[in-house]
Every structure is written in C-alpha cells, then in structure tokens.
Amino acid sequence: MIALLAGGTGGAKLARGMLDVVGPAELAVIANTADDVEVYGVHVSPDPDLVTYWLADSIDPRGFGIVGDTWEVMDALAAAGRPTWFRLGDRDLAMCLIRTERLLAGERLTEAHAAVARAAGVEARVLPMSDERVRTEVTAGGRRRPFQEFMIVDRASSPIEAVILAGVEEARPTPDVLDAIRTADAVVIGPSNPVISIGPILAVPGVREALRESAAPVVAVSPFVRGRAVKGPTEPFMEYAGLSRGALGIVESYGEVIDGVVCDEQLADAPVPALACDTLMDEPDSRRRVAEDVLAFASRLDR
Ligand code: GDP
C-alpha cells in the first residue's frame, strides 16, 4: 500500500507513475483541498481533480483541465456579462456538478470526490485531506485574497507577505486518510509545492501524528529539477517561508516528518538519507521510473 501526499501537478504526475508500478488497489493519494473554491454555484477541488485527471490519462496538455474539453458554458456566461475569471471547461464543470450534487445531498467531500473519480474511470483512491473547509489565503501588496484570486486575478504579481490556512485548526483528517497512512508500506510526499500544496495537508491537526505513528517510511520527492521549480509558484512561496531553494529547502520544510529525500542533486550533509536520480517526469516512462526509484529507496530505509 502506498500513500502519496499530493498537490495538483508534481504530486499528480508521480501518482500516475505510481499507478503503473503498484496498480489502483494499492494506491491512495491524499490531496490538498485548501485550494478549493466555490464558483458558478459549484465546488471546485483543483488538486484532487488534477490528480484524478492524471490518473485517468485525461489531463489536458496545458497541465490542468480535461483534454479536448469545450468552453460553451464559459462563453455563455461571458456573453451574459458574468465574470469568468476561473475558466472551467464543460466536462470539467460536469465533474464539479457531480461533486456539488453529492455535497448538497449531505455526503462528505471524500464521498463526493469518490463519485468524481468513478465518473472519470479512476479506481485508485483520491482522498481529500479533510472533509472540513480549509482555505489558503494570501496577503500580498497589502491585500488579503483567496488563493485562486491571488493566482488568477492578481497573477501572483505582488510579493507574498502572509499565507493563512483559514479553518485548518478546526479541520480533522478523514478516517480514510488516517487509514491510508496507517496501512501504508511507504508514505511518499510528492514533488509538490511544500508551502501551499503539502503545507496544508501537514497542517491538518492529526496528520503529523499519524505519520509519526505509522510504521511506514516517509519519503519526500523534491519538486526542483536542475535547480528550478518546473512550473508554478513554488519558488516565491518557499522564499516567503524562509526556505532555501532546492532539495535542501524541501528537507528544511518537512523536518522530522521525513525519513528520506529523493532529488536530482548531490546533497552533502543532508540530515536524512538522500537518493540522487533524475526526477523529471515528462513522459510515461520517466513517471514510472521515478515511482520505481522512490519505492525502492523507501524499502531500504529504516524507521
Ligand atoms: P499545483 O497545485 O498545480 O501547483 O501543483 P503541485 O504543488 O503538485 O506542483 C507544483 C510543483 O510540481 C512545482 O514545484 C514543480 O516544480 C513540480 N513539478 C512539476 N513537474 C515535475 C516533474 O516532472 N518532476 C519534479 N520533480 N517536479 C515537478
């Protein structure tokens, strides 16, 4: 059993590699929901959805949304003079409608996302980190904004002054998440943004304790490839958090949570065992190979 902590891009690509290596019955992906947003009357879960679309081989080559999607609803909203800043394709919107209908019927977010995964043909478990509402907000240029508005409307243009995980103190990990961690043979922290993708998962009270108590080794994969983040705002958020750029910053960020790190750098004096290997996952073969290397490394680690 593999439990993989993931945001939407780096973690999702590794999830796709893991699927090839261990199969759907052995894979549980614990996904960040602090980027979730309510828009057009639907509940959007960007990270769980990206993981799901990657696992379904339906991710759009842009890196988000569903391949071959159409934009009739967004065009109709725009024609009606409604804001369309959060661009959701028609099929992507259909997935959000499935989730929202279930939530309105009183189901947990976990159950509602399971319905989305089933609709997408995904058999592996994609688990929201919590059923409770947690929302990342960013203060930048003196203004506090929900994360998606900071990224999309403001284009992340001002220096980050604060990151707030609203609601996290009241949130709890789901029984499904705790079970995935408890029964894992290896826990892998995907190469996701440590501050805004993995940070919220680890900040849900009870997750760090569950990782500490698990018999499984915990291995982090660095999102830095040849010294730089492949895409997205990992670098400015790590700078804001006072973390070094590169794999060392990943080790600093996760501290005692991890038993090992996988990166493409030679880490001298790393406080945990490190495996150096190519971690770029731009092709199915490389995604599978990184997953194999990570699991082989984890199996050699002591707890
Ligand atoms: P987001 O929610 O879409 O921002 O996704 P994540 O937080 O999961 O992923 C963003 C991180 O994925 C960035 O820091 C990238 O450097 C990292 N990333 C993307 N592709 C790769 C890859 O092929 N290999 C590695 N090691 N990291 C990657």
Side-chain angles (χ1 to χ4, degrees), residues 5-14 32 35 46-47 50 63-64 147 151 190-194 196-198 221-225 228-235 238 262-264 278-283 286-287 290:
L5 277 54
T9 302
K13 286 160 83 174
L14 184 58
N32 169 43
D35 296 356
D47 285 355
L50 286 197
F64 56 92
F147 174 73
M151 288 302 298
S192 292
N193 187 319
I196 52 161
S197 292
I198 303 299
V221 182
S222 170
F224 288 88
V225 175
R228 301 304 302 261
V230 178
K231 79 186 256 294
T234 296
E235 292 179 17
M238 286 183 70
V262 176
C263 58
D264 68 359
D278 188 358
T279 61
L280 182 63
M281 298 181 287
D282 53 352
E283 296 290 338
S286 56
R287 289 190 278 276
V290 173

Short mmCIF file of all heavy atoms in Angstrom, two decimals, residues 5-14 32 35 46-47 50 63-64 147 151 190-194 196-198 221-225 228-235 238 262-264 278-283 286-287 290, ligand 1:
data_model
loop_
_atom_site.label_atom_id
_atom_site.label_comp_id
_atom_site.label_asym_id
_atom_site.label_seq_id
_atom_site.Cartn_x
_atom_site.Cartn_y
_atom_site.Cartn_z
N LEU A 5 1.10 11.91 -0.73
CA LEU A 5 0.58 13.25 -0.46
C LEU A 5 0.84 14.11 -1.69
O LEU A 5 1.98 14.15 -2.19
CB LEU A 5 1.27 13.87 0.76
CG LEU A 5 0.74 13.47 2.16
CD1 LEU A 5 0.71 11.98 2.37
CD2 LEU A 5 1.57 14.16 3.25
N ALA A 6 -0.18 14.81 -2.15
CA ALA A 6 -0.02 15.49 -3.44
C ALA A 6 -0.77 16.81 -3.52
O ALA A 6 -1.85 16.98 -2.95
CB ALA A 6 -0.51 14.58 -4.57
N GLY A 7 -0.16 17.74 -4.28
CA GLY A 7 -0.89 18.88 -4.80
C GLY A 7 -1.42 18.47 -6.16
O GLY A 7 -1.81 17.30 -6.35
N GLY A 8 -1.38 19.40 -7.13
CA GLY A 8 -2.05 19.10 -8.38
C GLY A 8 -1.16 18.76 -9.56
O GLY A 8 -1.64 18.19 -10.54
N THR A 9 0.12 19.09 -9.52
CA THR A 9 0.93 18.90 -10.72
C THR A 9 2.05 17.89 -10.48
O THR A 9 2.02 16.78 -11.03
CB THR A 9 1.51 20.23 -11.22
OG1 THR A 9 0.41 21.11 -11.48
CG2 THR A 9 2.30 20.05 -12.49
N GLY A 10 3.05 18.27 -9.67
CA GLY A 10 4.17 17.36 -9.41
C GLY A 10 3.67 16.08 -8.74
O GLY A 10 4.00 14.97 -9.16
N GLY A 11 2.87 16.25 -7.69
CA GLY A 11 2.33 15.09 -6.98
C GLY A 11 1.45 14.24 -7.88
O GLY A 11 1.46 13.01 -7.81
N ALA A 12 0.70 14.90 -8.75
CA ALA A 12 -0.22 14.18 -9.64
C ALA A 12 0.56 13.37 -10.68
O ALA A 12 0.18 12.23 -11.02
CB ALA A 12 -1.16 15.17 -10.31
N LYS A 13 1.66 13.93 -11.18
CA LYS A 13 2.47 13.19 -12.16
C LYS A 13 3.10 11.95 -11.51
O LYS A 13 3.14 10.86 -12.11
CB LYS A 13 3.57 14.10 -12.74
CG LYS A 13 3.01 15.13 -13.72
CD LYS A 13 3.95 16.30 -13.91
CE LYS A 13 5.04 16.04 -14.91
NZ LYS A 13 5.84 17.30 -15.15
N LEU A 14 3.55 12.11 -10.26
CA LEU A 14 4.11 10.95 -9.57
C LEU A 14 3.02 9.92 -9.29
O LEU A 14 3.26 8.71 -9.39
CB LEU A 14 4.81 11.38 -8.27
CG LEU A 14 5.52 10.26 -7.52
CD1 LEU A 14 6.58 9.58 -8.38
CD2 LEU A 14 6.16 10.78 -6.23
N ASN A 32 -4.45 17.86 -1.44
CA ASN A 32 -4.71 19.16 -0.82
C ASN A 32 -6.07 19.71 -1.26
O ASN A 32 -6.38 19.74 -2.45
CB ASN A 32 -3.60 20.12 -1.28
CG ASN A 32 -3.88 21.56 -0.94
OD1 ASN A 32 -4.33 21.87 0.16
ND2 ASN A 32 -3.63 22.45 -1.89
N ASP A 35 -6.92 24.64 -1.76
CA ASP A 35 -7.09 25.47 -2.98
C ASP A 35 -8.52 25.42 -3.50
O ASP A 35 -8.81 25.99 -4.55
CB ASP A 35 -6.22 24.95 -4.14
CG ASP A 35 -4.75 25.04 -3.89
OD1 ASP A 35 -4.36 25.57 -2.84
OD2 ASP A 35 -3.98 24.58 -4.76
N PRO A 46 -9.44 21.81 -7.18
CA PRO A 46 -8.42 21.75 -8.24
C PRO A 46 -7.38 20.64 -8.06
O PRO A 46 -7.07 19.93 -9.03
CB PRO A 46 -7.78 23.14 -8.18
CG PRO A 46 -8.85 24.03 -7.62
CD PRO A 46 -9.59 23.17 -6.63
N ASP A 47 -6.85 20.46 -6.85
CA ASP A 47 -5.79 19.46 -6.71
C ASP A 47 -6.34 18.02 -6.81
O ASP A 47 -5.80 17.22 -7.60
CB ASP A 47 -4.99 19.69 -5.42
CG ASP A 47 -4.03 20.88 -5.56
OD1 ASP A 47 -3.94 21.45 -6.67
OD2 ASP A 47 -3.37 21.23 -4.57
N LEU A 50 -7.03 17.46 -10.48
CA LEU A 50 -5.84 17.25 -11.32
C LEU A 50 -5.27 15.85 -11.11
O LEU A 50 -4.90 15.17 -12.08
CB LEU A 50 -4.77 18.30 -11.03
CG LEU A 50 -5.03 19.71 -11.56
CD1 LEU A 50 -3.76 20.53 -11.58
CD2 LEU A 50 -5.62 19.66 -12.96
N GLY A 63 -1.79 21.25 -18.59
CA GLY A 63 -1.46 20.94 -17.20
C GLY A 63 -2.64 21.07 -16.26
O GLY A 63 -2.53 20.81 -15.08
N PHE A 64 -3.78 21.50 -16.77
CA PHE A 64 -4.99 21.49 -15.95
C PHE A 64 -6.19 21.32 -16.88
O PHE A 64 -6.10 21.55 -18.08
CB PHE A 64 -5.13 22.77 -15.10
CG PHE A 64 -5.09 24.05 -15.87
CD1 PHE A 64 -6.27 24.63 -16.32
CD2 PHE A 64 -3.90 24.69 -16.17
CE1 PHE A 64 -6.25 25.81 -17.05
CE2 PHE A 64 -3.87 25.86 -16.89
CZ PHE A 64 -5.05 26.42 -17.33
N PHE A 147 -6.68 32.21 -2.29
CA PHE A 147 -5.54 31.76 -3.10
C PHE A 147 -5.79 31.85 -4.61
O PHE A 147 -4.96 32.35 -5.36
CB PHE A 147 -5.19 30.32 -2.71
CG PHE A 147 -4.13 29.71 -3.58
CD1 PHE A 147 -2.81 30.10 -3.46
CD2 PHE A 147 -4.45 28.77 -4.55
CE1 PHE A 147 -1.83 29.56 -4.28
CE2 PHE A 147 -3.48 28.22 -5.37
CZ PHE A 147 -2.17 28.62 -5.23
N MET A 151 -3.74 34.00 -7.41
CA MET A 151 -3.02 33.40 -8.54
C MET A 151 -3.57 33.85 -9.89
O MET A 151 -2.81 34.14 -10.82
CB MET A 151 -3.14 31.86 -8.47
CG MET A 151 -2.34 31.20 -7.38
SD MET A 151 -0.60 31.53 -7.47
CE MET A 151 -0.21 30.82 -9.06
N GLY A 190 4.81 13.84 -2.55
CA GLY A 190 5.07 14.11 -3.95
C GLY A 190 5.83 15.41 -4.15
O GLY A 190 5.92 16.24 -3.24
N PRO A 191 6.39 15.61 -5.37
CA PRO A 191 7.15 16.83 -5.65
C PRO A 191 6.22 18.02 -5.89
O PRO A 191 6.16 18.57 -7.00
CB PRO A 191 7.95 16.45 -6.90
CG PRO A 191 7.10 15.46 -7.60
CD PRO A 191 6.39 14.68 -6.52
N SER A 192 5.50 18.37 -4.85
CA SER A 192 4.53 19.46 -4.93
C SER A 192 5.05 20.64 -4.14
O SER A 192 6.04 20.54 -3.42
CB SER A 192 3.19 18.98 -4.36
OG SER A 192 2.62 18.00 -5.21
N ASN A 193 4.35 21.75 -4.27
CA ASN A 193 4.73 22.97 -3.56
C ASN A 193 4.65 22.71 -2.04
O ASN A 193 3.57 22.40 -1.53
CB ASN A 193 3.74 24.07 -3.97
CG ASN A 193 4.12 25.43 -3.43
OD1 ASN A 193 4.55 25.55 -2.29
ND2 ASN A 193 3.95 26.44 -4.25
N PRO A 194 5.80 22.81 -1.32
CA PRO A 194 5.76 22.43 0.10
C PRO A 194 4.96 23.41 0.96
O PRO A 194 4.50 23.03 2.03
CB PRO A 194 7.24 22.45 0.52
CG PRO A 194 7.90 23.34 -0.47
CD PRO A 194 7.14 23.22 -1.75
N ILE A 196 2.16 25.61 -0.16
CA ILE A 196 0.72 25.74 -0.40
C ILE A 196 0.04 24.46 -0.87
O ILE A 196 -1.18 24.42 -0.94
CB ILE A 196 0.41 26.89 -1.39
CG1 ILE A 196 1.25 26.74 -2.65
CG2 ILE A 196 0.58 28.23 -0.73
CD1 ILE A 196 0.70 27.52 -3.80
N SER A 197 0.80 23.41 -1.19
CA SER A 197 0.16 22.14 -1.55
C SER A 197 0.31 21.11 -0.43
O SER A 197 -0.68 20.54 0.04
CB SER A 197 0.74 21.57 -2.85
OG SER A 197 0.40 22.39 -3.95
N ILE A 198 1.53 20.85 0.01
CA ILE A 198 1.77 19.87 1.06
C ILE A 198 1.58 20.52 2.44
O ILE A 198 1.07 19.88 3.37
CB ILE A 198 3.19 19.26 0.94
CG1 ILE A 198 3.37 18.62 -0.46
CG2 ILE A 198 3.42 18.24 2.05
CD1 ILE A 198 2.44 17.49 -0.80
N VAL A 221 9.82 13.73 -2.33
CA VAL A 221 10.46 13.91 -3.64
C VAL A 221 10.54 15.42 -3.90
O VAL A 221 9.53 16.13 -3.76
CB VAL A 221 9.66 13.20 -4.75
CG1 VAL A 221 10.37 13.36 -6.09
CG2 VAL A 221 9.46 11.73 -4.41
N SER A 222 11.71 15.88 -4.27
CA SER A 222 11.90 17.32 -4.48
C SER A 222 11.22 17.79 -5.78
O SER A 222 11.35 17.14 -6.81
CB SER A 222 13.39 17.64 -4.56
OG SER A 222 13.57 18.97 -4.99
N PRO A 223 10.54 18.94 -5.73
CA PRO A 223 9.96 19.50 -6.96
C PRO A 223 10.96 20.31 -7.78
O PRO A 223 10.58 20.89 -8.80
CB PRO A 223 8.84 20.39 -6.42
CG PRO A 223 9.34 20.84 -5.08
CD PRO A 223 10.18 19.71 -4.54
N PHE A 224 12.23 20.32 -7.34
CA PHE A 224 13.24 21.08 -8.09
C PHE A 224 13.92 20.17 -9.10
O PHE A 224 14.39 19.08 -8.75
CB PHE A 224 14.27 21.69 -7.15
CG PHE A 224 13.70 22.84 -6.36
CD1 PHE A 224 13.06 22.62 -5.16
CD2 PHE A 224 13.75 24.13 -6.86
CE1 PHE A 224 12.49 23.67 -4.45
CE2 PHE A 224 13.19 25.19 -6.17
CZ PHE A 224 12.55 24.96 -4.95
N VAL A 225 13.95 20.59 -10.33
CA VAL A 225 14.61 19.85 -11.39
C VAL A 225 15.70 20.74 -11.96
O VAL A 225 15.42 21.86 -12.41
CB VAL A 225 13.61 19.42 -12.48
CG1 VAL A 225 14.32 18.76 -13.65
CG2 VAL A 225 12.56 18.45 -11.90
N ARG A 228 15.64 24.30 -10.45
CA ARG A 228 14.48 25.21 -10.54
C ARG A 228 13.18 24.42 -10.42
O ARG A 228 13.11 23.25 -10.80
CB ARG A 228 14.47 25.95 -11.90
CG ARG A 228 15.70 26.79 -12.19
CD ARG A 228 16.00 27.83 -11.15
NE ARG A 228 14.94 28.78 -10.89
CZ ARG A 228 14.88 30.01 -11.39
NH1 ARG A 228 15.83 30.44 -12.20
NH2 ARG A 228 13.88 30.82 -11.07
N ALA A 229 12.14 25.12 -9.94
CA ALA A 229 10.80 24.52 -9.97
C ALA A 229 10.37 24.39 -11.43
O ALA A 229 10.64 25.29 -12.24
CB ALA A 229 9.82 25.39 -9.21
N VAL A 230 9.75 23.27 -11.77
CA VAL A 230 9.38 23.02 -13.16
C VAL A 230 8.31 24.02 -13.62
O VAL A 230 8.36 24.55 -14.72
CB VAL A 230 8.87 21.57 -13.35
CG1 VAL A 230 8.43 21.32 -14.79
CG2 VAL A 230 9.95 20.57 -12.95
N LYS A 231 7.32 24.27 -12.76
CA LYS A 231 6.33 25.29 -13.07
C LYS A 231 5.61 25.70 -11.80
O LYS A 231 5.74 25.04 -10.78
CB LYS A 231 5.34 24.80 -14.14
CG LYS A 231 4.25 23.87 -13.67
CD LYS A 231 3.46 23.36 -14.84
CE LYS A 231 2.09 23.98 -15.03
NZ LYS A 231 1.10 23.71 -14.01
N GLY A 232 4.87 26.81 -11.88
CA GLY A 232 4.08 27.24 -10.73
C GLY A 232 4.90 28.05 -9.74
O GLY A 232 6.11 28.24 -9.91
N PRO A 233 4.22 28.51 -8.68
CA PRO A 233 4.84 29.50 -7.78
C PRO A 233 5.59 28.89 -6.59
O PRO A 233 5.60 29.47 -5.51
CB PRO A 233 3.61 30.28 -7.30
CG PRO A 233 2.54 29.25 -7.24
CD PRO A 233 2.82 28.27 -8.35
N THR A 234 6.21 27.72 -6.78
CA THR A 234 6.92 27.09 -5.67
C THR A 234 8.03 27.99 -5.12
O THR A 234 8.18 28.14 -3.91
CB THR A 234 7.49 25.72 -6.12
OG1 THR A 234 6.38 24.87 -6.45
CG2 THR A 234 8.32 25.07 -5.04
N GLU A 235 8.80 28.60 -6.03
CA GLU A 235 9.95 29.38 -5.56
C GLU A 235 9.54 30.59 -4.72
O GLU A 235 10.06 30.78 -3.61
CB GLU A 235 10.84 29.75 -6.74
CG GLU A 235 11.50 28.50 -7.32
CD GLU A 235 12.39 28.78 -8.51
OE1 GLU A 235 12.77 29.96 -8.71
OE2 GLU A 235 12.69 27.83 -9.24
N MET A 238 8.32 29.44 -1.31
CA MET A 238 9.39 28.95 -0.44
C MET A 238 10.24 30.11 0.07
O MET A 238 10.66 30.13 1.23
CB MET A 238 10.25 27.92 -1.18
CG MET A 238 9.52 26.58 -1.32
SD MET A 238 10.50 25.30 -2.11
CE MET A 238 11.74 24.92 -0.87
N VAL A 262 14.29 12.28 -2.10
CA VAL A 262 14.72 11.92 -3.46
C VAL A 262 14.82 13.22 -4.25
O VAL A 262 13.88 14.02 -4.28
CB VAL A 262 13.70 10.97 -4.12
CG1 VAL A 262 14.11 10.67 -5.56
CG2 VAL A 262 13.57 9.68 -3.31
N CYS A 263 15.96 13.42 -4.89
CA CYS A 263 16.16 14.68 -5.62
C CYS A 263 17.22 14.44 -6.70
O CYS A 263 17.87 13.40 -6.71
CB CYS A 263 16.61 15.79 -4.67
SG CYS A 263 18.12 15.39 -3.77
N ASP A 264 17.40 15.42 -7.60
CA ASP A 264 18.40 15.24 -8.64
C ASP A 264 19.71 15.96 -8.32
O ASP A 264 20.50 16.24 -9.20
CB ASP A 264 17.83 15.66 -10.02
CG ASP A 264 17.58 17.15 -10.12
OD1 ASP A 264 17.83 17.87 -9.13
OD2 ASP A 264 17.15 17.60 -11.20
N ASP A 278 17.43 11.20 -11.60
CA ASP A 278 16.69 12.15 -12.43
C ASP A 278 15.23 12.13 -11.99
O ASP A 278 14.62 11.06 -11.92
CB ASP A 278 16.83 11.72 -13.90
CG ASP A 278 16.26 12.75 -14.85
OD1 ASP A 278 15.72 13.78 -14.37
OD2 ASP A 278 16.33 12.53 -16.08
N THR A 279 14.66 13.30 -11.68
CA THR A 279 13.28 13.33 -11.18
C THR A 279 12.33 14.04 -12.14
O THR A 279 11.20 14.34 -11.77
CB THR A 279 13.19 14.00 -9.80
OG1 THR A 279 13.66 15.35 -9.94
CG2 THR A 279 14.00 13.27 -8.76
N LEU A 280 12.78 14.31 -13.36
CA LEU A 280 11.87 14.94 -14.34
C LEU A 280 10.89 13.87 -14.84
O LEU A 280 11.30 12.79 -15.26
CB LEU A 280 12.66 15.53 -15.51
CG LEU A 280 11.81 16.24 -16.57
CD1 LEU A 280 11.09 17.46 -15.97
CD2 LEU A 280 12.67 16.68 -17.75
N MET A 281 9.60 14.18 -14.78
CA MET A 281 8.57 13.18 -15.14
C MET A 281 7.76 13.68 -16.34
O MET A 281 6.56 13.85 -16.26
CB MET A 281 7.65 12.93 -13.94
CG MET A 281 8.38 12.35 -12.74
SD MET A 281 7.28 12.04 -11.35
CE MET A 281 6.98 13.72 -10.81
N ASP A 282 8.45 13.91 -17.45
CA ASP A 282 7.76 14.50 -18.60
C ASP A 282 7.18 13.45 -19.57
O ASP A 282 6.51 13.80 -20.53
CB ASP A 282 8.69 15.48 -19.34
CG ASP A 282 10.02 14.85 -19.70
OD1 ASP A 282 10.29 13.71 -19.27
OD2 ASP A 282 10.80 15.50 -20.43
N GLU A 283 7.47 12.18 -19.30
CA GLU A 283 6.98 11.10 -20.17
C GLU A 283 6.47 9.95 -19.31
O GLU A 283 6.91 9.81 -18.17
CB GLU A 283 8.15 10.55 -21.03
CG GLU A 283 8.76 11.54 -22.00
CD GLU A 283 7.80 11.86 -23.14
OE1 GLU A 283 6.89 11.05 -23.40
OE2 GLU A 283 7.97 12.93 -23.75
N SER A 286 9.36 8.03 -17.74
CA SER A 286 10.07 8.68 -16.63
C SER A 286 9.19 8.75 -15.39
O SER A 286 9.70 8.64 -14.27
CB SER A 286 10.60 10.07 -17.04
OG SER A 286 9.57 10.90 -17.51
N ARG A 287 7.88 8.90 -15.56
CA ARG A 287 7.00 8.90 -14.38
C ARG A 287 7.07 7.54 -13.68
O ARG A 287 7.15 7.46 -12.46
CB ARG A 287 5.56 9.22 -14.79
CG ARG A 287 5.38 10.67 -15.19
CD ARG A 287 3.92 11.04 -15.37
NE ARG A 287 3.38 10.66 -16.66
CZ ARG A 287 3.48 11.38 -17.77
NH1 ARG A 287 4.15 12.52 -17.77
NH2 ARG A 287 2.93 10.98 -18.90
N VAL A 290 10.63 7.10 -11.99
CA VAL A 290 10.77 7.85 -10.73
C VAL A 290 9.99 7.14 -9.63
O VAL A 290 10.50 6.95 -8.51
CB VAL A 290 10.30 9.32 -10.89
CG1 VAL A 290 10.28 10.04 -9.53
CG2 VAL A 290 11.21 10.08 -11.87
P1 GDP B 1 -0.10 22.75 -8.23
O1 GDP B 1 -1.13 22.60 -7.15
O2 GDP B 1 -0.63 22.51 -9.61
O3 GDP B 1 0.79 23.95 -8.09
O4 GDP B 1 0.80 21.52 -8.07
P2 GDP B 1 1.91 20.96 -7.12
O5 GDP B 1 2.13 21.75 -5.90
O6 GDP B 1 1.65 19.50 -7.00
O7 GDP B 1 3.10 21.02 -8.10
C1 GDP B 1 3.91 22.09 -8.39
C2 GDP B 1 5.31 21.58 -8.37
O8 GDP B 1 5.43 20.44 -9.21
C3 GDP B 1 6.31 22.58 -8.89
O9 GDP B 1 7.11 22.96 -7.82
C4 GDP B 1 7.11 21.80 -9.93
O10 GDP B 1 8.49 22.02 -9.81
C5 GDP B 1 6.78 20.37 -9.60
N1 GDP B 1 6.89 19.51 -10.78
C6 GDP B 1 6.17 19.57 -11.91
N2 GDP B 1 6.60 18.62 -12.78
C7 GDP B 1 7.62 17.96 -12.16
C8 GDP B 1 8.47 16.87 -12.56
O11 GDP B 1 8.36 16.34 -13.66
N3 GDP B 1 9.39 16.46 -11.67
C9 GDP B 1 9.54 17.03 -10.43
N4 GDP B 1 10.47 16.56 -9.60
N5 GDP B 1 8.75 18.06 -10.03
C10 GDP B 1 7.80 18.51 -10.89
#
